[in-house]
Amino acid sequence: MTNYSDTPIAEAADQASRIIHRYGLEQFERPGFRRTIAVANQKGGVGKTTTAVNLAAALGLYGMRVLVIDLDPQGNASTALGAEHRAGTPSSYELMMGINTASECVQQSTAGENVFVIPATIDLAGSEIELVSMVAREHRLLEALRDDYIDELDVDFIFIDCPPSLGLLTINAMVAAQEILLPIQCEYYALEGVGQLLNNIKLIKSHLNKNLHLSTIILTMFDGRTRLADQVEDEVRNHFGDIVLDTVIPRSVKVSEAPGFSQTVIQFDPGSAGSKTYLEAAKEIIIRSGEMEEANNG
Ligand code: ADP
Ligand code: MG
């Protein structure tokens, strides 16, 4: 694992411990199994990246170990997690192309000592086309993650931040994951495209990955002043039931400012509504992990 600088990491660890103490965050027992979760929605700008990085930071503060794989050539998750992602940096591109191994691509995140990241660089932009002619093109990410180093990294959660399309990158994520986390923006046309996503999940489940399922929906950018936001929430809850997290992420300017400082909102402004709700959502996810474990054992 490349450690570009010790200083920001030490600072991050310090900051994490301050947040834990100041906000009295409890520490949870680690679940004892790994959940690999693709954060997907082919619509852009619905909060996929924001959700992936903030849940990762929050889970890290609760004592979980988390790896975020940035699979969007934009590299926004890499930025928010303080990862180096200049062209040529060992990244998700090199990983899928077999140029670098997982251990060469993983970086420590500045979001906390429990958070790791495989960044995305601009090199990933051409990969949808490059992948087309490759052997086992849908399984490249899955195979690259079948690596002792990933086991040694000993993470409880892997989040794969998908690009806004249903192309081969997203398919690679869906083959490598067991679960889909779908962020839905509480806005006009919120459900547009969700049917198509569900259809794709069904196809991948029957042809490429029988374990795949939509496990979690999170409502994002909720604006409490509009009736529309309430209507979207009701509709999603009526249709999808239990898989929708109780916690709703409000629209908050702090959330959108944080990436400009290469931070998650949890570091940028821990007391803000955005930070508190992502911490709350992460807690729900941990509690659900406990329930999954019980179900598996019982
Ligand atoms: P996606 O990854 O689905 O394209 P992003 O997470 O990048 O979406 O979010 C799109 C934009 O909306 C970004 O500028 C982000 O900072 C902003 N944003 C995301 N969540 C919130 C929120 N809860 N409140 C305000 N702005 C948000
Ligand atoms: Mg994104």
Side-chain angles (χ1 to χ4, degrees):
M1 180 170 77
T2 320
N3 216 337
Y4 284 88
S5 162
D6 286 335
T7 323
I9 305 304
E11 212 173 274
D14 238 40
Q15 190 184 21
S17 89
R18 279 199 301 276
I19 295 172
I20 291 169
H21 288 112
R22 165 122 193 250
Y23 294 93
L25 296 185
E26 62 240 84
Q27 297 294 288
F28 287 91
E29 207 168 297
R30 297 177 53 200
F33 63 101
R34 187 199 298 157
R35 294 173 65 182
T36 303
I37 303 172
V39 183
N41 185 334
Q42 74 272 32
K43 276 180 83 169
V46 299
K48 288 183 290 297
T49 300
T50 305
T51 296
V53 302
N54 284 292
L55 286 180
L59 288 165
L61 288 174
Y62 286 125
M64 306 293 124
R65 287 171 63 85
V66 189
L67 170 65
V68 176
I69 302 175
D70 191 349
L71 220 54
D72 185 341
Q74 299 276 326
N76 294 337
S78 310
T79 302
L81 293 171
E84 177 61 63
H85 63 111
R86 272 178 298 201
T89 306
S91 67
S92 53
Y93 172 78
E94 283 80 3
L95 183 69
M96 284 197 296
M97 295 299 151
I99 299 166
N100 287 107
T101 62
S103 79
E104 292 164 336
C105 297
V106 172
Q107 294 181 38
Q108 172 82 57
S109 167
T110 52
E113 57 187 337
N114 288 332
V115 185
F116 304 88
V117 50
I118 295 179
T121 67
I122 195 67
D123 295 325
L124 194 61
S127 64
E128 294 264 10
I129 293 164
E130 271 181 77
L131 280 165
V132 171
S133 61
M134 293 188 90
V135 181
R137 61 187 180 185
E138 295 95 354
H139 293 80
R140 311 283 311 184
L141 183 63
L142 176 74
E143 291 304 330
L145 294 175
R146 283 200 177 130
D147 182 308
D148 289 345
Y149 175 79
I150 293 294
D151 292 334
E152 286 157 22
L153 196 60
D154 190 26
V155 290
D156 307 298
F157 292 90
I158 298 179
F159 287 103
I160 308 171
D161 186 30
C162 294
S165 73
L166 291 171
L168 273 170
L169 288 173
T170 297
I171 292 174
N172 265 271
M174 290 185 177
V175 171
Q178 301 102 40
E179 300 178 43
I180 304 286
L181 188 166
L182 169 66
I184 293 181
Q185 185 184 357
C186 300
E187 258 302 340
Y188 283 110
Y189 310 121
L191 297 176
E192 187 190 45
V194 169
Q196 201 188 348
L197 180 75
L198 294 178
N199 218 24
N200 271 47
I201 295 173
K202 212 189 278 174
L203 280 170
I204 289 177
K205 195 177 162 69
S206 59
H207 297 289
L208 297 166
N209 178 9
K210 64 175 173 13
N211 296 320
L212 188 70
H213 62 287
L214 174 63
S215 69
T216 315
I217 291 177
I218 184 165
L219 294 163
T220 65
M221 292 184 243
F222 185 89
D223 183 345
R225 295 166 304 184
T226 67
R227 283 249 311 265
L228 175 71
D230 285 320
Q231 285 165 3
V232 171
E233 178 174 3
D234 288 347
E235 196 178 336
V236 172
R237 289 194 190 285
N238 287 336
H239 193 272
F240 290 100
D242 272 358
I243 66 171
V244 187
L245 295 183
D246 295 335
T247 308
V248 174
I249 311 300
R251 183 176 281 286
S252 133
V253 68
K254 295 288 182 191
V255 173
S256 57
E257 285 172 356
F261 296 83
S262 295
Q263 289 183 348
T264 67
V265 73
I266 293 165
Q267 302 157 277
F268 179 65
D269 190 348
S272 65
S275 165
K276 285 181 176 162
T277 48
Y278 271 116
L279 283 162
E280 208 48 50
K283 200 190 283 188
E284 279 191 60
I285 288 174
I286 294 171
I287 291 167
R288 284 165 187 232
S289 289
E291 291 165 0
M292 285 165 75
E293 196 174 16
E294 266 173 38
N296 287 342
N297 295 340

